């Protein structure tokens, strides 16, 4: 097999079924290559059918035709798409061993999803929240499953936590706040939400056999932030010499997927394959609980048996 992606190819994930979002580029693409080389069966959730097919073909070539890859099409900003894709996954996939919430975005100018929600928040937090919730019973039934969510060092930009009085980012994208980096703060809030979601989810999953983890991939040279105009592209180009490769950025993700559960802490935040301490705002238990309630409201979910808070 080809060993071009910078990972050891021991088949530590033999026959594990791994579902991953955001796999057609960047960190997700590098991770997908590493995971199939480690023997995993892969489910790709992608917005573009053609890009998903292209990746599936590439994974087949990488493994000499051995890769088993399913493609599910969904725009992670669309709750209707996520619900439809989740139903298809539940119909086609009897077991899910790992769910990797990796899709992410950032918008410099405010944009709303088809559900009327600010787009960065919709993709980075509500998408993973809804997909995880819809697949949770299958994950629990699979036993020894894990939920891994891509966060970021950028969560530290949201020093004051999530502004629950401005859930659509109206103030962040207006006036002086917009000029002072409102979009960056919104991105920071969404990445903070990833950590709070992981911590709260871990508490709700106690005793089920399913664990939850999140990680910071570091500054990675990908096509992220390329659709936000010339200044954004120039900024990313200037940062590229100091950035990690997608393969380097994916290392902690792959490590979380394959490591023994005895090495991992459910609810933990990781970077460089080590447990880290996130910001003070990311350790706010009351904020995590409130975020869960607000997220249920924004996605129209009612708490199911596997989602009730365990005291």
């Amino acid at each position: 097999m080809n060993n071009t992606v910078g990972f050891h190819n021991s088949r530590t994930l033999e026959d594990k079924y791994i579902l991953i979002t955001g796999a057609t580029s960047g960190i997700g693409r590098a991770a997908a290559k590493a995971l199939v080389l480690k023997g995993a069966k892969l489910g790709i959730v992608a917005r573009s059918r053609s890009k998903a097919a292209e990746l599936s073909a590439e994974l087949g070539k990488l493994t000499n035709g051995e890769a088993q890859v399913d493609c599910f099409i969904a725009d992670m900003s669309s709750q209707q798409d996520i619900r439809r894709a989740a139903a298809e996954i539940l119909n086609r996939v009897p077991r899910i061993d790992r769910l990797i919430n990796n899709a992410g975005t950032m918008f410099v100018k405010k944009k709303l999803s088809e559900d009327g929600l600010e787009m960065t928040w919709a993709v980075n937090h509500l998408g993973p929240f809804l997909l995880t919730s819809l697949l949770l019973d299958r994950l629990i039934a699979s036993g020894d499953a894990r939920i891994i969510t891509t966060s970021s060092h950028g969560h530290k930009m949201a020093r004051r936590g999530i502004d629950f009085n401005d859930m659509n980012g109206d103030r962040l994208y207006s006036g002086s706040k917009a000029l002072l980096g409102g979009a960056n703060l919104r991105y920071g809030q969404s990445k903070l939400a990833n950590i709070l979601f992981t911590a709260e989810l871990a508490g709700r999953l106690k005793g089920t056999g399913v664990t939850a983890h999140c990680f910071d991939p570091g500054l990675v040279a990908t096509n992220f932030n390329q659709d936000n105009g010339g200044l954004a592209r120039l900024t990313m180009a200037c940062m590229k010499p100091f950035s990690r490769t997608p393969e380097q950025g994916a290392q902690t993700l792959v490590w979380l997927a394959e490591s023994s559960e005895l090495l991992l802490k459910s609810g933990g935040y990781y970077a460089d394959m080590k447990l880290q301490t996130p910001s003070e705002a990311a350790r706010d238990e009351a904020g995590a609980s409130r975020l869960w309630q607000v997220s249920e409201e924004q996605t129209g979910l009612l708490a199911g048996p596997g989602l009730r808070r365990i005291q």
Side-chain angles (χ1 to χ4, degrees):
M1 291 184 186
N2 193 328
N3 189 22
T4 60
V5 292
F7 295 95
H8 296 297
N9 293 345
S10 55
R11 296 178 71 82
T12 52
L13 293 167
E14 191 81 54
D15 294 329
K16 295 289 187 183
Y17 192 94
I18 299 180
L19 187 71
I20 179 171
T21 69
T24 58
S25 65
I27 296 167
R29 194 181 191 95
K33 293 178 182 179
L35 293 169
V36 296
L37 286 172
K38 291 177 180 292
K41 300 174 182 177
L42 212 60
I44 299 168
V45 180
R47 182 175 57 180
S48 167
R49 190 176 299 276
S50 61
K51 288 184 178 180
E54 176 190 340
L55 175 59
S56 180
E58 182 177 354
L59 296 176
K61 291 179 181 178
L62 188 66
T63 60
N64 297 321
E66 294 180 11
Q68 298 182 47
V69 183
D70 298 322
C71 298
F72 305 96
I73 307 305
D75 182 334
M76 291 301 292
S77 74
S78 165
Q79 294 184 19
Q80 180 179 353
D81 265 21
I82 294 170
R83 290 178 185 277
R84 178 184 46 73
E88 183 181 357
I89 291 165
L90 292 174
N91 184 54
R92 291 173 54 187
V93 181
R95 178 186 180 91
I96 303 173
D97 298 289
R98 307 286 187 266
L99 170 60
I100 299 174
N101 295 307
N102 175 67
T105 191
M106 173 181 170
F107 286 89
V108 170
K109 295 182 180 180
K110 185 176 179 181
K111 184 176 180 179
L112 297 181
S113 71
E114 65 180 38
D115 302 297
L117 300 163
E118 191 276 315
M119 189 69 85
T120 301
W121 182 258
V123 173
N124 292 0
H125 169 61
L126 292 178
F129 179 88
L130 179 57
L131 182 63
T132 301
S133 298
L134 295 172
L135 300 180
L136 198 56
D137 286 346
R138 183 60 47 86
L139 285 156
I140 292 172
S142 299
D144 188 28
R146 291 177 202 170
I147 299 158
I148 302 167
T149 301
T150 303
S151 183
S152 168
H153 183 80
H155 81 273
K156 295 183 178 181
M157 291 187 289
R159 292 190 299 272
R160 297 183 180 180
I162 294 168
D163 186 350
F164 290 104
N165 295 314
D166 186 28
M167 290 308 298
N168 238 19
D170 294 328
R171 290 197 293 269
L172 287 176
Y173 281 96
S174 64
S176 61
K177 286 193 175 182
L179 296 175
L180 294 173
N184 290 327
L185 288 173
R186 188 56 168 172
Y187 175 77
Q189 286 190 4
S190 72
K191 294 289 102 180
L192 171 61
N194 294 151
I195 302 174
L196 293 173
F197 163 61
T198 296
E200 182 72 8
L201 179 62
R204 292 168 183 261
L205 288 171
K206 285 181 180 178
T208 66
V210 181
T211 57
H213 316 274
C214 62
F215 77 102
D216 167 22
L219 179 61
V220 180
T222 68
N223 62 358
F224 182 79
N225 204 22
Q226 295 299 302
D227 298 325
N228 286 315
L231 182 59
R233 289 192 292 273
L234 178 61
T235 300
M236 297 305 292
C238 292
M239 294 168 66
K240 189 171 183 178
F242 310 101
S243 301
R244 300 178 175 186
T245 65
E247 290 74 25
Q248 291 170 329
Q251 284 181 336
T252 298
L253 187 164
V254 175
W255 176 79
L256 285 169
E258 70 174 338
S259 293
S260 166
E261 64 180 18
L262 299 177
L263 298 176
L264 305 177
K265 176 186 176 183
S266 189
Y269 168 74
Y270 290 82
D272 296 324
M273 295 176 282
K274 294 180 181 178
L275 184 65
Q276 306 285 347
T277 301
S279 69
E280 182 178 353
R283 291 176 274 125
D284 180 5
E285 293 184 7
S289 180
R290 186 175 182 188
L291 173 65
W292 192 280
Q293 179 181 358
V294 169
S295 301
E296 285 187 327
E297 294 170 357
Q298 290 188 311
T299 56
L301 286 175
L302 296 175
L307 295 175
R308 296 194 184 109
R309 186 174 180 81
I310 298 175
Q311 302 296 335

